[in-house]
């Protein structure tokens, strides 16, 4: 489903964020990507939706080669992915509900159908009661759950989350992780990048440990 | 197809709602575009009206034949007979030099000058009206010149021609003005769209990240350019129409003094639609240029 082989990524300026990275993730897996800050976790995740392109090596997602993908094909790749960003990227000029509606605006859903899906997603993350609120008024944990709702509203087969628990207290963090587990249990492939070792130890999942852009093992 | 229509409809509703959210800025933009378009539009309308007047006047072209000083009564009678036999002659009027002098003395401007003269400097004249247009009169000119005792032939269509070329000059000037202000309109739209892209930077970035196509992201800005251009066109029409109403009040009084029922006439529906289409296309063009220039700069990281 996702495979990296000999992937190297250098940013402009010559800094090498990932080096000789090879691994494969099967459909339905739950994988944690760990490592200290600057190890290359975010870079790894950004290669999958073609936010960044590999400098060399091959990244395959659902059989598509990210390195050679045409620009025009990228939106359709991204619709199959649910992205949860490190900086959240919520829109504060609209309601919780409208934030979740955003991914449905360009997939051709009729409004009623889209609204039904958006409410189902909000219900899954326990925010249905807050649908009219502005995201600014939500707590940190609620904002993170809103990000999850926006990511899953299109029913993606792969969910990518970058430091989803970074700014959360331990209870909220546990809630959020539990949510990822439940999506994984219904067949969604889930990749979570985190520097929180404690979180990983409790769950005992498959771990890709990064150190200075390379796999540690 | 229905999906395509629905997306456009949703975009249209969204765009209108956005415009409605900042009515002040929208109104200002529309006014700027409206005034910019109203200038050449008003000029064009005035020229059209003047052109119509020129044509009405030119519809009954006249020739004045000034006779030689030594022409006597017999010569005049002979000439009159020959002129009447010319093909296409509709009216013939003889104005004696005495009558011409009398007529001239009526006008205050000349009275002093004329009374200072010892002798009457004016010649006898015939005024000839033909059924044909100015072109046919011109063909007749050499024939008239060759007639005995005719000293000078004055085609009254000459001033119409001069007016015509003046009008042509005016039209060119209006065209240049229109071209310049059209560029201005494109620039105004360019800037509006640039600001709109800036205020929606976050939304554009997130949309790109979650799978919006470039076409989808561009669409609302094209709508915005089109709508703003069209509204500006409407404003221009309204401005020119109002000016026509106001001017016609004064023109009505003036024309009455001259025994004329002349009024400025406004554009027909065809011209109005053409202008709206033109304004819409300019708005779209400004949006297109702005989107091409500014949207690619927003690349999520
Ligand atoms: N856009 C960028 N331009 C240049 N260098 C970058 C960029 N993004 C990340 N880096 C560098 O690449 C390395 C890996 O960064 P990142 O993938 O964000 O690590 P992590 O998410 O594990 O903290 C870091 O040294 C970082 O400074
Ligand atoms: Mg990171």
């Amino acid at each position: 489903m996702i495979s990296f082989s000999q992937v190297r990524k250098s940013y402009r300026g010559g800094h090498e964020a990932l080096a000789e990275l090879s691994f494969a993730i099967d459909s339905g897996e739950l994988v944690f990507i760990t490592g200290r800050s600057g190890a290359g976790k975010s870079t790894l995740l950004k290669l999958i939706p073609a936010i960044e392109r590999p400098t060399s090596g091959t990244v395959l997602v659902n059989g598509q080669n990210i390195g050679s993908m045409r620009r025009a094909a990228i939106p359709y790749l991204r619709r199959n992915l649910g992205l949860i960003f490190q900086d959240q990227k919520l829109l504060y000029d609209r309601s919780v509900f409208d934030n979740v509606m955003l991914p449905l605006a360009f997939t051709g859903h009729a409004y009623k159908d889209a609204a039904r899906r958006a409410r189902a997603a909000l219900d899954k993350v326990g925010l249905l009661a807050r649908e009219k609120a502005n995201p600014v008024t939500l707590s940190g944990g609620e904002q993170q759950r809103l990000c999850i709702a926006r990511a899953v509203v299109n029913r993606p087969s792969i969910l990518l989350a970058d430091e989803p628990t970074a700014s959360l207290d331990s209870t909220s963090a546990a809630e959020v992780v539990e949510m990822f587990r439940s999506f994984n249990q219904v067949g969604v492939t889930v990749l979570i990048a985190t520097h929180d070792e404690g979180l990983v130890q409790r769950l005992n999942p498959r771990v890709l440990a990064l150190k200075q852009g390379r796999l540690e093992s | 197809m229905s999906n395509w229509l629905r997306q456009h409809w949703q975009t249209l509703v969204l765009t209108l709602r956005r415009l409605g959210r900042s009515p002040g800025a929208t109104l200002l933009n529309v006014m700027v575009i409206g005034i910019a378009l109203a200038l050449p539009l008003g000029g064009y309308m005035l020229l059209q009206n003047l052109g119509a007047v020129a044509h009405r006047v030119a519809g009954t072209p006249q020739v004045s034949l000034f006779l030689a000083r030594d022409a006597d009564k017999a010569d005049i009678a002979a000439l009159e007979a020959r002129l009447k036999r010319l093909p296409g002659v509709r009216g013939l009027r003889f104005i004696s030099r005495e009558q011409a002098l009398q007529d001239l003395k009526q006008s205050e401007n000349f009275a002093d000058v004329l009374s200072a003269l010892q002798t009457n400097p004016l010649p006898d004249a015939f005024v000839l009206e033909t059924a044909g247009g100015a072109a046919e009169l011109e063909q007749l000119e050499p024939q008239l010149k060759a007639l005995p005792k005719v000293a000078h032939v004055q085609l009254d269509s000459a001033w119409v021609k001069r007016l015509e070329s003046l009008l042509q000059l005016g039209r060119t000037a209006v065209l240049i003005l229109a071209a310049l202000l059209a560029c201005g309109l494109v620039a105004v739209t360019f800037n509006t769209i640039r600001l709109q892209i800036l205020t929606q930077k976050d939304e554009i970035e997130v949309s790109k990240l979650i799978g919006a196509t470039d076409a989808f992201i561009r669409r609302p800005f094209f709508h915005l350019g089109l709508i703003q251009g069209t509204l500006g066109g409407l404003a221009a029409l309204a401005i020119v129409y109002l000016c026509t109403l106001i001017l016609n009040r004064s023109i009505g009084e003036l024309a009455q003094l001259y025994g004329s029922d002349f009024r400025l006439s406004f554009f027909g529906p065809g011209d109005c639609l053409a202008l709206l289409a033109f304004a819409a296309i300019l708005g779209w063009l400004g949006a297109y240029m702005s989107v091409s220039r500014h949207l690619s700069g927003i690349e999520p990281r």
Side-chain angles (χ1 to χ4, degrees), chain B residues 141-181:
Chain B
E141 191 182 1
Q143 217 178 321
L144 295 173
K145 271 186 173 154
L147 290 172
K149 299 293 179 197
V150 172
H152 183 68
V153 177
Q154 171 80 49
L155 288 188
D156 284 357
S157 64
W159 76 266
V160 173
K161 259 188 156 174
R162 247 170 264 148
L163 180 66
E164 194 63 57
S165 56
L166 260 177
L167 285 176
Q168 198 52 49
L169 186 73
R171 274 184 209 115
T172 312
V174 163
L175 216 63
I176 292 171
L177 189 68
L180 284 175
L181 290 169

Side-chain angles (χ1 to χ4, degrees), chain A residues 47-187:
Chain A
L47 286 168
I48 297 168
I51 296 171
E52 297 289 354
R53 308 263 195 150
T55 310
S56 68
T58 323
V59 176
L60 290 179
V61 178
N62 289 328
Q64 290 176 290
N65 188 333
I66 301 303
S68 60
M69 184 174 263
R70 286 180 309 114
R71 242 184 78 84
I74 291 175
Y76 303 96
L77 165 77
R78 289 180 183 166
R79 287 177 199 182
N80 270 319
L81 307 171
L83 305 185
I84 292 144
F85 309 98
Q86 195 165 357
D87 58 353
Q88 297 198 325
K89 296 190 193 297
L90 291 172
L91 298 176
Y92 299 103
D93 63 350
R94 64 197 71 195
S95 67
V96 163
F97 175 74
D98 284 335
N99 267 275
V100 181
M101 284 293 274
L102 194 67
L104 300 168
F106 40 83
T107 47
H109 290 95
Y111 180 83
K112 261 169 90 175
D113 185 27
R116 200 170 41 74
R117 275 182 173 231
R119 294 212 167 88
L122 282 172
D123 193 27
K124 240 180 271 178
V125 301
L127 282 178
L128 193 52
R130 307 296 308 272
E131 65 165 280
K132 290 199 177 64
N134 188 291
V136 194
T137 64
L138 301 184
S139 71
E142 286 172 329
Q143 288 189 358
Q144 199 57 42
R145 271 151 44 202
L146 173 55
C147 291
I148 296 171
R150 186 180 64 185
V152 300
V153 72
N154 255 333
R155 297 174 196 164
S157 56
I158 304 174
L159 207 52
L160 308 174
D162 197 351
E163 309 274 8
T165 59
S167 57
L168 304 184
D169 60 80
S170 56
T171 338
S172 310
E175 265 175 25
V176 163
V177 168
E178 200 41 52
M179 225 160 253
F180 284 122
R181 284 227 317 187
S182 68
F183 286 117
N184 178 243
Q185 270 157 11
V186 296

